């Protein structure tokens, strides 16, 4: 009889553990799904021309997520909330800067540089090491031609969709160097840090490699809603898939940052002057 009772107790504990594990997983999925849907709502509103509504949605989301990190003690949930905070901060800064500055090359510095502070605080607070973020300078030499080819393909496709103006007056060495530094060190590095090293990595852990890659790419795509064309959002989601897959295979943040930066150099510097 004692052995039967012991068996029942073990069975009950197993059931409770399963219920507890399922509950924890559901909460993690909600921590992913709710901010993702709100961000998509805000970006679709921006796409439809409702800039103020989009801004307020991001501001409210930012406040709610920040307060949630105080209330929630679970480390993984805090990680996810802070990752989504960085995305909303990126949009808020992006929308506010044109009020004070003309859209020039230097605007990108003002938009992206402030994000280094919360990103650094998050990395330190979550005790993320350099290996986890993919911060390795050991880039194999044959990766660079591949990165340049991928950059060229994506830049050509995106150029045909949005046909942007140039951010530098000519293709002199100094102007190309200046554009490259801004696009690689600020735009490329910070966006890849947020979307790939921080967000995609955690989404892969929870949802699996391919689902995590897909969701991170969708969010990357909708964050380009400001260009006002659905083709740009779809294409940048595809670009996010390519960049995310490179990161997934190589786990090298610097490689995808350089690839991303090259895309923007070709897109906003070289192609506008050649057409």
């Amino acid at each position: 009889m004692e052995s039967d009772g012991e068996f029942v107790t073990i069975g009950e504990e197993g059931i409770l553990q399963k219920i507890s594990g399922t509950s924890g997983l559901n909460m993690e999925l909600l921590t992913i799904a709710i901010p993702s849907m709100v961000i998509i709502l805000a970006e679709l509103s921006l796409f439809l021309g409702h800039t103020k509504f989009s801004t307020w949605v991001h501001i409210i989301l930012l406040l709610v997520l920040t307060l949630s990190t105080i209330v929630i003690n679970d480390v993984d949930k805090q990680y996810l909330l802070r990752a989504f905070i960085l995305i909303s901060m990126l949009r808020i800064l992006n929308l506010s800067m044109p009020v004070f500055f003309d859209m020039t090359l230097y605007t990108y510095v003002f938009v992206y540089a402030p994000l280094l502070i919360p990103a650094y605080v998050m990395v330190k607070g979550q005790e993320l090491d350099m290996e986890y973020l993919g911060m390795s300078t050991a880039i194999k030499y044959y990766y660079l031609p591949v990165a340049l080819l991928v950059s060229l393909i994506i830049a050509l496709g995106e150029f045909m969709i949005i046909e942007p103006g140039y951010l530098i007056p000519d293709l002199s060495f100094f102007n190309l160097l200046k554009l490259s530094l801004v696009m690689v060190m600020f735009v490329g590095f910070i966006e890849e840090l947020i979307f790939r090293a921080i967000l995609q990595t955690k989404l892969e852990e929870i949802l699996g490699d391919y689902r995590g890659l897909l969701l991170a790419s969708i969010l990357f795509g909708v964050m380009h809603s400001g260009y006002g064309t659905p083709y740009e959002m779809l294409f940048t989601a595809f670009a996010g898939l390519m960049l995310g897959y490179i990161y997934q295979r190589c786990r090298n943040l610097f490689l995808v940052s350089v690839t991303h930066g090259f895309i923007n150099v070709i897109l906003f510097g070289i192609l506008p002057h050649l057409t």
Side-chain angles (χ1 to χ4, degrees):
M1 292 298 292
E2 288 179 0
S3 63
D4 289 342
E6 185 179 351
F7 176 77
V8 172
T9 302
I10 292 171
E12 287 174 350
E13 287 178 353
I15 292 170
L16 289 173
Q17 287 175 354
K18 286 182 179 179
I19 293 172
S20 176
T22 303
S23 175
L25 179 60
N26 288 339
M27 283 301 296
E28 282 190 337
L29 292 177
L30 285 175
T31 308
I32 294 169
I34 294 174
S36 295
M37 289 188 293
V38 174
I39 288 171
I40 290 171
L41 170 65
E43 292 303 306
L44 290 178
S45 299
L46 180 63
F47 170 73
L48 294 172
H50 306 302
T51 306
K52 288 185 179 180
F53 179 77
S54 175
T55 305
W56 277 110
V57 170
H58 275 294
I59 290 173
I60 293 169
L61 178 63
L62 179 63
L63 294 173
V64 170
L65 293 179
T66 302
L67 292 173
S68 298
T69 60
I70 299 172
V71 176
I72 297 173
N73 294 321
D74 186 273
V75 175
D76 285 335
K77 294 183 182 67
Q78 286 183 341
Y79 182 110
L80 288 166
L81 294 173
R82 287 168 178 163
F84 288 116
I85 284 172
L86 290 173
I87 294 176
S88 276
M89 287 187 67
L90 173 59
R91 173 55 73 209
I92 292 167
L93 286 167
N94 185 266
L95 288 173
S96 64
M97 283 302 167
V99 175
F100 306 104
F101 303 96
D102 293 330
M103 287 301 293
T104 65
L105 178 60
Y106 300 106
T107 307
Y108 290 91
V109 178
F110 287 108
V111 170
Y112 286 91
L115 288 169
L116 283 172
I117 298 172
Y120 175 78
V121 171
M122 177 183 175
V123 168
K124 294 294 289 184
Q126 299 290 150
E127 298 182 350
L128 305 179
D129 57 32
M130 297 298 101
E131 182 181 356
Y132 182 87
L133 294 172
M135 287 192 181
S136 170
T137 56
I139 302 176
K140 296 178 180 178
Y141 69 92
Y142 52 82
Y143 283 166
L144 291 177
V146 175
L148 183 58
L149 179 61
V150 171
S151 301
L152 180 60
I153 292 170
I154 294 175
L156 285 170
E158 197 169 357
F159 185 79
M160 289 188 287
I161 294 170
I162 60 175
E163 297 182 356
Y166 48 79
L167 288 174
I168 51 176
D170 55 59
L171 295 178
S172 66
F173 174 79
F174 175 75
N175 283 323
L176 282 173
L177 177 62
K178 183 169 61 175
L179 179 64
S180 299
L181 289 174
V182 171
M183 289 304 173
V184 173
M185 296 178 64
F186 289 93
V187 181
F189 176 74
I190 295 172
E191 285 197 6
E192 294 306 311
L193 174 64
I194 294 172
F195 284 97
R196 246 61 69 180
I198 292 176
L199 182 62
Q200 180 181 315
T201 302
K202 179 57 69 173
L203 291 178
E204 287 174 357
E205 290 178 8
I206 298 171
L207 302 177
D209 286 353
Y210 296 113
R211 290 178 182 174
L213 170 61
L214 180 61
L215 180 55
S217 302
I218 290 171
L219 291 171
F220 182 73
V222 298
M223 287 300 290
H224 289 76
S225 61
Y227 287 99
T229 166
Y231 302 111
E232 170 65 2
M233 288 190 287
L234 288 171
F235 188 82
T236 49
F238 167 72
L241 276 173
M242 294 186 69
L243 291 168
Y245 181 73
I246 292 172
Y247 180 76
Q248 196 177 77
R249 298 295 297 177
C250 303
R251 288 295 169 191
N252 194 304
L253 178 61
F254 296 118
L255 178 64
V256 290
S257 298
V258 169
T259 306
H260 191 149
F262 282 173
I263 292 170
N264 288 343
V265 169
I266 297 169
L267 179 63
F268 296 109
I270 297 174
L271 291 178
H273 283 287
L274 296 181
T275 57

